[in-house]
Amino acid sequence: MTISYTWSIDRESTLNAIPKEITLLVIPLAFAFNKKLDSENQEKIVKYFAYSMILLGFYFLFRAFVRYSISHDIRNFFYHGDNDDKFGLIPKLLNAIHVSYFMAIAFFYYFSKTVKTRADYIISIILLGFIFLMSSKNIILIVILLILAYTFFFSKIAHKMRLRNLIVFGLIIALLFSYGRIKQRFEIEFQTNTKKSLSANVIEGIPLTVHNVSIKEAWQNEKFTQNDFFSGTVFRVYQFRIFLEFLKEEPIFWKGFGLNASYPKIKEKAIYYDLYMGEAGDGGYQNKNFHNQYVQNFAELGIFGFIILLLIVALNLKNALKSKDFVHFAFAILTISLFLTETLLWRQRGVVFFTIFYCLFNTSVYQKKIEKRL
């Protein structure tokens, strides 16, 4: 990241971004000098983190009830707020997807306990409910898959499960997905050109009479109009399309544009395709990054930055499988999935959280290897 300053097409942006990423160096150094991080201490840290997530969840639920009692607006219980209003379960700056990611790690700490108390069951249900209220489609799907993976492959009762149990579990999940705004959040990705589509994932507060771009249109259209709006998934398809165009048109394969330096090129594409450029109160599509960590790494740091990221997540998954620690495994899978839809490492809260937990889990695996040798 630092070396990319030498070839960056926007050196000022690269220089400003480097301090935000310094935790990728500082935190691993701190762990390297800490010789007392065994599995017991790791478990304590994860436990205290889970406690903090419970407190955070209760705070925002209490906040939502207070706001609902004043405004009687159900939006206070879902997702994050818009740019122009204060509705939403959490403030927009916190980002509902990131908070869902944090909450999911805490949930699996309680859910995967071998011996659970009644309090553990209650807390697990509350955290899972909070994740659903956050309405992040990606996180919800991965959490459900991880619950199934734990139930059928990791838990002690896995070998006792019957087809009947799977059918019952599937019916429960189907009921959850059919409810209200959660259902809306999933249906939107499959709706196009309808007045009922609430495609507000990328640009908030859009009118209901706009044209909602389909996945096919995002991939093929030669031009768009100021009346074209993208849902989250559709916009990511468009972003991947322009990334492939950059690979053909720009010399970025080996080195990339430079850390945080792709924005001018993204804006050029937005102008070329005549995307909605925003009005007072919103920023338009030209200011959005790729919303995909793998693509972002490739576009800004070249093939070597992309390979390094793949090695990082692959090593994490390998160690998670070796450790047989389901919380570590959940962290690895959630991270791999989240990188497909979010540039987590390009956000300070994201890079700090990821680096701490990456070092926490993988350092304990390394310590276990040393203990076995001794």
Side-chain angles (χ1 to χ4, degrees):
M1 289 177 172
T2 304
I3 293 172
S4 73
Y5 174 81
T6 60
W7 63 75
S8 174
I9 64 171
D10 186 350
R11 290 190 171 186
E12 183 178 356
S13 294
T14 299
L15 189 62
N16 290 335
I18 289 172
K20 180 175 60 180
E21 306 293 344
I22 198 68
T23 51
L24 284 169
L25 173 65
V26 174
I27 292 175
L29 284 176
F31 274 87
F33 287 106
N34 185 350
K35 304 299 183 182
K36 299 179 180 180
L37 186 62
D38 54 20
S39 56
E40 183 179 347
N41 286 323
Q42 175 210 314
E43 198 274 339
K44 286 182 180 179
I45 294 170
V46 176
K47 178 175 68 175
Y48 295 142
F49 165 75
Y51 288 163
S52 71
M53 289 297 101
I54 296 167
L55 294 176
L56 187 70
F58 275 127
Y59 167 75
F60 281 119
L61 286 172
F62 176 75
R63 175 179 179 268
F65 276 108
V66 171
R67 287 170 176 265
Y68 179 77
S69 67
I70 297 171
S71 66
H72 301 289
D73 194 319
I74 197 65
R75 289 179 295 172
N76 286 295
F77 290 99
F78 296 92
Y79 206 50
H80 54 225
D82 298 343
N83 289 323
D84 299 327
D85 63 49
K86 301 300 182 182
F87 296 107
L89 184 57
I90 65 171
K92 181 176 176 62
L93 286 177
L94 277 183
N95 191 311
I97 300 173
H98 291 182
V99 174
S100 296
Y101 175 57
F102 305 153
M103 289 289 179
I105 304 299
F107 164 74
F108 282 111
Y109 168 75
Y110 287 100
F111 181 77
S112 63
K113 276 188 172 183
T114 305
V115 179
K116 299 183 184 69
T117 65
R118 182 179 297 179
D120 292 330
Y121 284 109
I122 294 172
I123 290 170
S124 295
I125 293 171
I126 293 172
L127 287 172
L128 184 62
F130 195 87
I131 292 168
F132 272 84
L133 291 177
M134 287 287 90
S135 305
S136 168
K137 300 176 291 298
N138 183 6
I139 298 297
I140 290 174
L141 286 173
I142 298 302
V143 165
I144 292 172
L145 291 174
L146 286 170
I147 289 173
L148 290 171
Y150 178 80
T151 303
F152 290 99
F153 298 103
F154 288 84
S155 67
K156 288 186 175 180
I157 62 170
H159 63 283
K160 299 179 181 179
M161 295 296 293
R162 297 288 188 270
L163 179 61
R164 178 185 59 187
N165 304 75
L166 179 60
I167 293 173
V168 172
F169 189 82
L171 289 174
I172 294 172
I173 297 302
L175 288 173
L176 288 172
F177 274 94
S178 66
Y179 177 74
R181 287 178 63 88
I182 294 172
K183 180 182 177 182
Q184 285 183 349
R185 295 281 302 165
F186 278 85
E187 284 182 341
I188 179 178
E189 306 304 344
F190 305 98
Q191 294 177 352
T192 58
N193 309 332
T194 68
K195 291 184 179 181
K196 292 182 180 180
S197 179
L198 301 176
S199 183
N201 294 23
V202 182
I203 303 294
E204 307 286 0
I206 64 171
L208 298 179
T209 56
V210 299
H211 170 76
N212 294 283
V213 179
S214 68
I215 290 176
K216 181 179 180 181
E217 290 170 334
W219 188 256
Q220 295 183 349
N221 277 16
E222 293 298 324
K223 289 287 182 180
F224 297 93
T225 72
Q226 295 298 295
N227 198 46
D228 286 336
F229 285 83
F230 298 75
S231 70
T233 299
V234 172
F235 189 59
R236 285 167 174 83
V237 170
Y238 161 80
Q239 290 168 310
F240 186 69
R241 171 190 176 181
I242 65 171
F243 164 69
L244 294 180
E245 292 177 2
F246 287 144
L247 280 177
K248 294 179 180 178
E249 301 165 359
E250 305 283 348
I252 64 169
F253 181 84
W254 295 108
K255 298 186 297 184
F257 291 122
L259 176 65
N260 215 41
S262 60
Y263 287 97
K265 292 295 181 178
I266 292 174
K267 185 174 182 179
E268 287 178 11
K269 285 292 183 182
I271 294 171
Y272 173 79
Y273 284 114
D274 197 25
L275 265 59
Y276 175 68
M277 304 295 283
E279 298 174 353
D282 63 69
Y285 294 112
Q286 75 281 4
N287 297 319
K288 310 294 182 182
N289 65 22
F290 288 104
H291 282 76
N292 182 311
Q293 191 65 63
Y294 306 105
V295 171
Q296 196 81 31
N297 269 52
F298 207 138
E300 296 188 352
L301 303 175
I303 185 65
F304 295 109
F306 175 66
I307 291 173
I308 289 171
L309 182 64
L310 290 183
L311 290 174
I312 287 172
V313 297
L315 179 63
N316 190 35
L317 181 59
K318 176 186 175 183
N319 285 339
L321 292 170
K322 279 188 175 182
S323 70
K324 297 181 180 180
D325 179 351
F326 191 79
V327 182
H328 187 180
F329 179 74
F331 168 71
I333 297 299
L334 283 163
T335 300
I336 290 170
S337 173
L338 190 65
F339 281 0
L340 289 170
T341 62
E342 298 293 318
T343 49
L344 185 74
L345 302 185
W346 264 234
R347 296 288 179 267
Q348 190 163 31
R349 80 171 71 86
V351 71
V352 170
F353 177 86
F354 170 79
T355 310
I356 289 175
F357 271 74
Y358 188 93
C359 292
L360 180 66
F361 287 123
N362 291 286
T363 301
S364 67
V365 171
Y366 178 70
Q367 290 291 346
K368 288 178 182 177
K369 289 181 181 179
I370 294 177
E371 290 170 7
K372 286 182 180 179
R373 290 174 184 173
L374 296 176

